[in-house]
């Protein structure tokens, strides 16, 4: 679906638009008359969503840097300005912290203005009652969501439910976070009742709030309120209720392919799993675009373009790197691992595949820029990729978690988590990795890798003329037994062979040293060159053909079948959220509400020291030549070394402390 663009944002936005999230108005009216037409209401609603797309929210900051400082990612470039969030050293003067606060409260004020004035304004015009009801529902939900963002990261915050115009109204004390959550839940609950007929099916896309999006986010908010620091445990029942409403609506389902979920986000397609997402777009040269940046930071690093002028072709800084713990947490056969984490990096314009030990090299590939349309992929600093705010998989995991907290690991809890796990694993055995049985010798270029059966694909890597690595590029599937691995190009009769081509026959490797058409007689010698009068082309012995065996996965279902205790099932849900929702800006808040944020981050130091697995302590130098392996270790260990109790919350922005004399700073800042 082609997106129209957001052009301009002003305090009270009004103009006509075809799609509520697609434009922002170019004029403003006084609040009392600002909602007197359907077009004005639609435009005003567009303004309420606008700041979610800002760079300091989901455009970059929230989606990128809030994955940092957990067991998901670290920021490996010591010389770049974003590493505070990885190191958990965030001062109250940090510009993004201040902008985040300001944009949330700015949007809250927009919501309050609509809620304060729409009834009177609409009555003076031609706005239908249904339009007013839905507009109020969206405004209530979004006000609640902006407060939800504030409560997660600042704790107690000033609570205002009416628009402010007088600067003196900004002198307000912080409201206890439990009361903030109560207001959020009240707002969203009221919104759900107003949006019962605003379904995903009726809207047709997921950038606008539907009733099931409200219910799914309510489940999330209630789980957060039930956990640390609020510990309002009665909210577990509410979380289960709201998640159940999404499930029972039958508006949403898991896609059959995990990869397809993110391919759709990359290519701006909508599906029944992505319940709510933040939309970005890129237009052709000369048109205004509204791209996001999160995918430029969280992707496979690629900094060298091609052509004249330079074509960036999927440019990414690649600064956000994944911890090895995430990679090794995926079990054999879990298809999510090699989609979420790259099996290769870029060396200039060439792909370089990783060895099994190079797990520090794995970068984020969940929204791989190679799959973006040209108009987006060829842009250096922004991308059209949509960001997932709520997926149906998340709803199922929230239901499983809430049900377990209420009643233990019931059949309903198992069913919910197993739906997510079942999708993650291949239904039939597939190629997981290879065992090289003979590395061969004499290769001048990496030989092709083929298979006797199936649709798997793989590539080889050479070291000193021998095959040192075979990497799966498509694991195939449907194998009853492992296929035969064929390394190199077998000799064939009646073939026109070019100079320097390499072929294999009877376990030997040959190089064509005189071009020609092969006869029916293959080369068989173990040294020297064949007689072209006999073999057609001249085949000179080069070495030994490499051989390998393919190893198949044995797990073809992800179902949890063992009987787990309530505590063990809780850990299973926590782990599943780690694997399924990686890089979707949920991990840090999850760890905080579970009360395990600090020990989890500190435990990374054990991994990095190699105590958990020796190969975890073997990083290779990253792409950037100015950064050494020692720098990477320094960046990766910083969160575990620096984290403390103050890092549960961000500091209140220093400017806010100066302006609002009634507000107090968070402890430790």
């Amino acid at each position: 679906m082609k997106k129209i663009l957001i052009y301009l944002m002003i305090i009270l936005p009004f103009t006509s638009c075809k799609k509520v999230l697609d434009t922002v108005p170019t004029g403003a009216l006084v609040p009392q008359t600002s909602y007197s037409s359907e077009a004005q209401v639609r435009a005003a609603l567009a303004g309420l969503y606008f700041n979610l797309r800002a760079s300091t929210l989901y455009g970059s900051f929230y989606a990128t840097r809030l994955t940092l400082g957990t067991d998901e990612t670290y920021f490996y470039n010591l010389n770049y300005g974003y590493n505070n969030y990885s190191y958990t050293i965030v001062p109250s003067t940090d510009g993004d912290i201040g902008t985040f606060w300001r944009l949330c409260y700015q949007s809250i004020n927009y919501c309050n203005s609509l809620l304060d004035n729409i009834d009177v304004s609409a009555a003076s015009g031609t706005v239908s009652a249904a339009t007013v009801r839905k507009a109020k529902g969206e405004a209530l939900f979004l006000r609640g969501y902006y407060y939800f963002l504030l409560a997660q990261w600042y704790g107690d915050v000033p609570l205002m439910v009416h628009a402010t115009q007088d600067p003196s109204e900004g002198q307000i004390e912080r409201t206890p976070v439990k009361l903030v959550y109560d207001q959020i839940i009240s707002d969203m609950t009221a919104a759900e009742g107003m949006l019962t007929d605003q379904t995903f099916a009726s809207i047709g896309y997921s950038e606008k709030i539907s009733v099931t999006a409200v219910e799914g986010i309510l489940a999330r908010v209630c789980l957060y309120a039930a956990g640390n620091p609020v510990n309002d445990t009665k909210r577990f029942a509410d979380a289960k209720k709201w998640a159940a409403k999404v499930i029972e609506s039958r508006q949403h389902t898991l896609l059959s392919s995990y990869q397809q979920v993110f391919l759709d986000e990359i290519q701006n397609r909508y599906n029944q799993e992505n319940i709510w997402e933040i939309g970005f777009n890129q237009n052709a040269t000369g048109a205004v675009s509204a791209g996001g940046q999160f995918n430029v930071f969280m992707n496979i690093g690629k900094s060298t373009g091609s052509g004249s002028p330079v074509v960036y072709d999927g440019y990414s800084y690649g600064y956000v790197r994944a911890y090895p713990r995430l990679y090794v947490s995926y079990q054999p056969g879990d298809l999510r691992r090699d989609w979420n984490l790259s099996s290769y990096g870029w060396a200039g314009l060439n792909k370089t595949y990783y060895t099994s030990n190079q797990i520090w090299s794995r970068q984020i590939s969940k929204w791989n820029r190679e799959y973006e349309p040209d108009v987006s992929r060829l842009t250096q600093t922004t991308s059209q990729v949509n960001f997932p705010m709520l997926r149906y998989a998340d709803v199922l995991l929230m239901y499983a978690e809430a049900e377990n907290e209420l009643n233990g690991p019931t059949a309903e809890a198992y069913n919910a988590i197993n739906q997510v796990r079942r999708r993650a694993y291949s239904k039939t055995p597939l190629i997981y990795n290879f065992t090289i049985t003979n590395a061969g010798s004499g290769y001048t270029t990496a030989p092709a890798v083929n298979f006797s059966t199936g649709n798997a694909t793989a590539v080889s890597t050479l070291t000193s003329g021998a095959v040192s690595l075979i990497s799966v590029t498509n694991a195939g599937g449907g194998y009853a037994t492992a296929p035969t691995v064929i390394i190199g190009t077998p000799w064939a009769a009646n073939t026109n062979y070019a100079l320097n081509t390499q072929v294999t026959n009877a376990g030997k490797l040959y190089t064509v040293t005189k071009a020609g058409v092969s006869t029916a007689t293959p080369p068989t010698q173990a040294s020297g060159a064949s007689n072209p009068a006999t073999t057609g082309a001249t085949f000179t012995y080069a070495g030994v053909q490499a051989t390998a065996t393919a190893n198949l996965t044995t797990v073809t279902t992800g179902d949890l079948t063992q009987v787990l205790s309530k505590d063990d099932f809780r850990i299973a849900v926590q782990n599943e959220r780690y694997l399924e929702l990686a890089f979707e800006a949920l991990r840090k808040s999850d760890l905080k509400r579970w009360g395990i944020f600090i020990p989890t981050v500190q435990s990374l130091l054990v991994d990095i020291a190699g105590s958990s697995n020796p190969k975890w302590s073997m990083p290779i130098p990253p792409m950037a030549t100015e950064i050494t392996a020692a720098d990477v270790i320094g960046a990766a260990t910083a969160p575990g070394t620096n984290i403390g109790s103050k890092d549960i919350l961000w500091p209140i922005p220093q400017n806010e402390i100066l302006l609002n004399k009634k507000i107090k700073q968070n402890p430790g800042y």
Side-chain angles (χ1 to χ4, degrees), residues 120-140:
V120 172
S121 181
S124 67
T126 58
V127 183
S128 69
T131 297
V132 171
R133 167 175 55 81
K134 292 179 182 181
K136 290 169 71 173
E138 289 188 60
L140 281 167

Side-chain angles (χ1 to χ4, degrees), residues 355-635:
T355 68
S356 59
N357 280 346
Q358 289 176 317
I359 55 179
W360 274 96
S361 302
R362 311 287 167 156
Q363 299 173 70
I364 299 169
S365 58
K366 195 165 195 170
W367 300 276
N368 193 328
R369 296 207 72 187
E370 289 188 66
Y371 297 106
E372 290 181 38
D374 284 354
V375 69
S376 178
R377 180 168 48 85
L378 303 183
T379 304
Q380 179 182 4
T381 56
T382 58
S383 165
Q384 75 160 27
V385 175
N386 289 357
F387 186 81
M389 301 287 278
L390 177 68
R391 293 197 287 118
Y392 186 63
D394 189 0
V395 173
L396 290 170
L397 294 176
M398 290 191 290
Y399 180 89
E401 180 178 355
E403 170 66 2
N404 182 61
E405 295 301 331
L406 292 167
N407 303 309
T410 63
E412 289 80 7
Y414 274 102
N415 178 55
I417 192 173
N418 281 339
Q419 287 184 59
V420 176
R421 290 177 57 85
R422 202 172 295 140
R423 196 260 302 269
Y425 288 82
S426 171
K427 305 300 184 293
T428 58
L430 47 81
I431 295 175
Y432 185 63
N433 57 24
F434 299 89
T435 300
I436 296 175
T437 53
N438 186 334
S441 61
Y443 290 100
T444 55
T445 57
V449 179
N450 292 293
F451 303 93
S452 58
T453 59
N455 63 339
T457 57
V459 294
S460 67
T461 300
L462 291 183
T463 301
S464 301
V467 174
S468 56
L469 172 68
I470 301 176
S471 303
V472 178
T473 54
N474 177 359
Y479 295 108
T481 58
T484 300
V485 182
I486 303 166
I487 300 177
T489 302
W491 171 91
N494 302 315
T495 301
N496 191 0
Y497 281 110
L499 190 66
N500 297 323
T501 301
Q502 290 195 306
V503 297
T504 62
N505 186 61
K508 302 179 182 66
L509 178 69
Y510 299 94
T511 301
V512 175
T513 53
K514 181 179 180 181
V517 178
S518 60
T519 65
T521 302
T524 58
Q525 77 276 9
S527 64
S530 67
N531 184 348
T534 302
T535 59
T538 300
F539 298 92
T540 299
Y541 179 81
V544 178
Q545 179 184 6
T547 58
T549 58
N551 302 313
L552 298 183
T553 58
T554 56
V555 178
T556 57
T557 176
D559 281 11
L560 292 175
T561 56
Q562 69 272 36
V563 178
L564 298 176
S565 67
K566 181 176 182 178
D567 288 344
D568 286 342
F569 191 88
R570 180 186 299 118
I571 293 171
V573 172
Q574 291 172 352
N575 188 59
E576 204 59 38
R577 292 183 67 81
Y578 184 44
L579 304 177
E580 173 72 22
L581 305 172
F583 317 127
E584 295 181 35
L586 296 170
R587 182 64 172 171
K588 186 174 287 186
S589 291
D590 276 350
L591 293 173
K592 286 164 55 179
R593 68 183 177 85
W594 292 327
I596 59 173
F597 175 45
I598 293 175
T600 297
V601 174
Q602 289 174 333
S603 71
L604 290 167
L605 298 175
V606 177
D607 295 354
I608 295 166
S611 302
S612 299
N613 187 323
K615 70 180 181 181
W616 292 16
S617 60
M618 297 169 58
I620 64 168
M623 282 179 49
T625 56
E626 72 274 12
I627 301 171
T628 67
D631 291 332
V632 177
I633 286 291

